[in-house]
Amino acid sequence: MAPNPSFKPVKSRQTVQDQVYQQIREALVSGAFEADQSFTISGLSEKFMTSHMPIREALRRLAAENALRISSTGTAVVPPLDSDELRKISETRLILEPACARIAFDRIDEARFEQLRQTSLAHEKTADTGDVGEMLNLNRAFHFGIYEATGNDVLCSQIENLWLRSGAYVRFLSDRMGDLLRTSYRTGFSSHHADMLDAKQSGDKAAFVQAMHDDIQATSTLLLDFLSETKS
Amino acid sequence: MNQVRGPQFRAIQSRSMIADQIREALRTGLRAGRFEAGHVFSIATLTAEYEVSRTPVRDALSRLVAEGVLEDDARGQVRVPQLDVGEYENLIRARCVIEGGAVARAAQVITDSQLAHIRTCAETHRAQYDIGAIGEMLEANAAFHFALYEVSANPFLIVTIGSLWTRAGPYTRLLSRLMKTRIAASGLDLYSPHHDEILTALERRDDAAAQSAIQADILAGHDLLSPHLPNLV
């Protein structure tokens, strides 16, 4: 069950463009769109109940961020999946996100820790309910809950750009989640989050950073395996 | 897509390509420290400079505003944001993380010919410093840094670093002015030893040493500039 984007009609005139952009961006990050999926400007205009202009502008911005490609006919396409690209996204994430975790570690106060703990518990539970969309949302909430503790919006927005580029990969993984949850993955998928919480509680910064690293690495390895299987 | 709409879309596409080119040119200018904090962009001036209509200029500016690189005020004027020590600290910290990581990666995969190219960049930088050509020196500095990062062959790393440098542009400009007056006043040698340290570390394929040398390089600029920044918060 993949997350389903529910676009809201946009109203306030001044920020129509921003709202459309934000909603499509959000849908891309959350894995609502598949690789190679295409959409037309007129189709999106109907969904958002706006004119073509703000849609075209939003798609152009996303294309400039390499989150979409625009064909010569004006159709937007989600870029295809590519192992080499995924490796490079992961390499970049592995530089930024564990470093962010290191900066965040001492700044996670009790309230934030409690929030992270709740998020982690809810995330674990999605293995029972099979709600993959919710699983992805909670995973994201957990990670950004940590990154935001750095108080560094420059770092956070750079990480978000990488997640934007990972959306179609996330979607690809989520489509296989039903099968995965029948394997040993079911007990392991949230273990790195639990490790992070344990490390924070025992004041072990190195272990906290390592668990963040392992979490990103594990997802990347899993995806690369799937991608090579799909190809062969 | 409806056939009838074809030509219309093509026209808009090319207009958007012009806007993209202007945006890239402004980005490059910002990165090189060509625009001062608070600088107001005049649509009329840019229209004349690039010999285009107002629309792609306006598009390019509004995109840079959306990206947080520029800002617009109540009167709809687009300008370079004011300097702020808080933002600068965040930028420097992000640069240390990502550029440190990129250089560590470079140390693991660099070839001898890439190393030779980077050494040439470092020599150009030093030469510009020696003759006091601060503007050219900044460009040579950027060339040195990006030659390093390109060794990673990772476009995600390079784009991320590029966007940090674009946002840091107005700070770079202030830093260059500061260096100019300091060097003129005292003949002080402000040349950073860190580029040589980076080269030595790369020669030895020592990723940890390369990483700490680049971070020291970034922080050297920071220490020079940071006392001169206003605190807006």
Side-chain angles (χ1 to χ4, degrees):
Chain A
M1 186 171 32
N4 190 23
S6 55
F7 295 128
K8 300 174 203 72
V10 288
K11 290 191 184 96
S12 148
R13 196 137 194 262
Q14 188 136 44
T15 57
V16 166
Q17 227 166 69
D18 284 344
Q19 289 181 57
V20 169
Y21 166 79
Q22 282 304 337
Q23 287 194 54
I24 301 178
R25 192 180 209 276
E26 172 61 29
L28 281 163
V29 176
S30 68
F33 297 127
E34 267 181 283
D36 301 314
Q37 187 173 341
S38 66
F39 19 73
T40 59
I41 290 173
S42 47
L44 287 172
S45 302
E46 264 170 49
K47 273 198 178 131
F48 284 107
M49 300 191 219
T50 67
S51 64
H52 286 192
M53 189 55 185
I55 305 286
R56 191 155 44 220
E57 186 57 26
L59 294 181
R60 215 154 65 72
R61 262 165 79 180
L62 289 161
E65 293 178 86
N66 292 316
L68 289 175
R69 285 177 196 160
I70 300 184
S71 75
S72 58
T73 55
T75 306
V77 184
V78 181
L81 302 178
D82 177 84
S83 297
D84 186 53
E85 182 184 77
L86 176 63
R87 251 181 237 111
K88 285 171 174 160
I89 295 173
S90 299
E91 180 180 71
T92 312
R93 288 190 59 199
L94 285 168
I95 290 173
L96 278 172
E97 295 176 42
C100 232
R102 186 182 301 282
I103 298 168
F105 186 80
D106 294 319
R107 297 165 177 242
I108 296 171
D109 58 16
E110 253 169 68
R112 190 177 288 272
F113 182 80
E114 184 50 29
Q115 194 189 5
L116 288 170
R117 206 176 61 83
Q118 295 294 344
T119 307
S120 177
L121 284 175
H123 181 237
E124 262 173 63
K125 281 208 187 88
T126 58
D128 298 325
T129 61
D131 186 345
V132 175
E134 188 62 4
M135 179 189 279
L136 298 175
N137 287 338
L138 289 164
N139 179 55
R140 194 166 145 213
F142 186 84
H143 279 264
F144 281 89
I146 293 169
Y147 307 146
E148 278 156 17
T150 62
N152 188 332
D153 54 358
V154 175
L155 270 172
C156 290
S157 74
Q158 297 301 338
I159 293 174
E160 219 188 71
N161 287 342
L162 291 168
W163 283 56
L164 172 65
R165 297 300 312 278
S166 315
Y169 296 93
V170 167
R171 168 59 188 269
F172 178 79
L173 189 61
S174 77
D175 287 346
R176 279 144 196 83
M177 200 55 82
D179 294 337
L180 270 175
L181 289 174
R182 283 188 281 277
T183 68
S184 62
Y185 184 75
R186 191 181 189 296
T187 48
F189 83 100
S190 60
S191 68
H192 299 300
H193 292 191
D195 289 348
M196 276 181 246
L197 293 173
D198 287 348
K200 172 62 193 169
Q201 212 153 25
S202 56
D204 189 343
K205 196 191 280 193
F208 184 79
V209 175
Q210 186 62 47
M212 178 64 83
H213 179 278
D214 293 347
D215 190 47
I216 298 163
Q217 185 77 72
T219 309
S220 171
T221 307
L222 191 64
L223 264 165
L224 285 168
D225 286 349
F226 274 133
L227 284 174
S228 67
E229 273 171 33
T230 311
K231 236 178 206 165
S232 57
Chain B
M1 188 62 45
N2 194 326
Q3 272 296 333
V4 182
R5 237 180 251 130
Q8 193 190 342
F9 271 117
R10 211 173 298 280
I12 289 157
Q13 274 278 314
S14 72
R15 192 194 79 197
S16 78
M17 272 157 61
I18 295 170
D20 286 345
Q21 282 165 15
I22 296 171
R23 188 175 55 111
E24 266 321 295
L26 291 175
R27 236 196 251 279
T28 309
L30 280 160
R31 205 171 291 175
R34 220 167 290 148
F35 302 111
E36 199 140 356
H39 172 90
V40 174
F41 288 96
S42 143
I43 291 180
T45 308
L46 291 172
T47 301
E49 191 176 328
Y50 293 106
E51 297 175 7
V52 292
S53 67
R54 298 170 70 86
T55 312
V57 170
R58 217 181 279 124
D59 281 359
L61 290 176
S62 70
R63 267 266 278 294
L64 289 167
V65 170
E67 288 168 31
V69 173
L70 301 178
E71 60 184 24
D72 51 4
D73 62 17
R75 285 176 298 167
Q77 282 186 318
V78 175
R79 52 186 182 145
V80 179
Q82 292 299 332
L83 302 177
D84 169 58
V85 74
E87 189 201 22
Y88 184 62
E89 296 297 329
N90 284 345
L91 278 167
I92 287 294
R93 196 159 242 205
R95 284 193 55 199
C96 283
V97 166
I98 189 92
E99 292 173 46
V103 169
R105 178 83 191 121
Q108 292 160 358
V109 299
I110 196 165
T111 64
D112 286 341
S113 73
Q114 285 171 324
L115 189 54
H117 171 59
I118 292 166
R119 188 172 289 115
T120 311
C121 292
E123 281 159 7
T124 308
H125 177 237
R126 173 82 227 199
Q128 300 294 358
Y129 174 86
D130 285 339
I131 59 170
I134 300 289
E136 287 76 4
M137 186 193 98
L138 287 177
E139 270 167 41
N141 182 55
F144 170 81
H145 279 265
F146 281 90
L148 273 174
Y149 308 141
E150 265 151 33
V151 174
S152 73
N154 183 337
F156 297 95
L157 269 176
I158 297 162
V159 165
T160 304
I161 296 170
S163 94
L164 296 178
W165 278 60
T166 307
R167 284 182 70 172
Y171 299 94
T172 308
R173 183 178 177 90
L174 181 59
L175 178 62
S176 75
R177 276 223 314 259
L178 210 62
M179 288 183 80
K180 229 180 238 173
T181 37
R182 287 274 185 95
I183 295 166
S186 61
L188 213 62
D189 191 6
L190 293 173
Y191 185 76
S192 147
H194 304 297
H195 286 193
D196 290 338
E197 289 167 18
I198 294 164
L199 285 169
T200 308
L202 289 175
E203 265 163 38
R204 299 192 185 131
R205 276 36 177 198
D206 184 341
D207 52 1
Q211 181 167 13
S212 53
I214 197 111
Q215 288 172 344
D217 185 53
I218 294 166
L219 290 172
H222 166 264
D223 293 347
L224 206 59
L225 181 57
S226 129
H228 300 270
L229 289 175
N231 193 341
L232 297 184
V233 190

